[in-house]
Amino acid sequence: LNFGVVTMFDLIEHLKDPDEAESYLQAVFEAYQEDGDTTALLLALRSVAYAQGGIGKLAKQTGLNR
């Protein structure tokens, strides 16, 4: 998956928007199906969770434990 030159700050800013995060994850899942790159998949999930307020906030919203 290649998004060109994007800083982590830029990525996080974009991923704060739920629609952007959804599009990003869709692209990441498609890439994962093709290449099986678990590291890239986990980094993407971590980035979206961070942008959306962190794992703690995500855990509260979903009712799951960290």
Side-chain angles (χ1 to χ4, degrees):
L1 192 57
N2 184 356
F3 290 102
V5 178
V6 176
T7 67
M8 185 58 95
F9 176 79
D10 292 335
L11 178 61
I12 297 301
E13 284 301 307
H14 284 286
L15 295 178
K16 287 180 180 179
D17 179 323
D19 292 330
E20 291 284 338
E22 180 181 357
S23 295
Y24 176 69
L25 287 176
Q26 285 176 348
V28 168
F29 285 132
E30 288 173 15
Y32 177 73
Q33 288 177 335
E34 292 177 15
D35 63 21
D37 187 347
T38 305
T39 301
L41 174 63
L42 293 175
L43 181 59
L45 291 171
R46 178 179 174 215
S47 297
V48 171
Y50 180 81
Q52 295 292 315
I55 297 296
K57 182 177 178 183
L58 183 61
K60 276 186 179 178
Q61 290 175 332
T62 61
L64 300 173
N65 292 328
R66 297 182 343 137

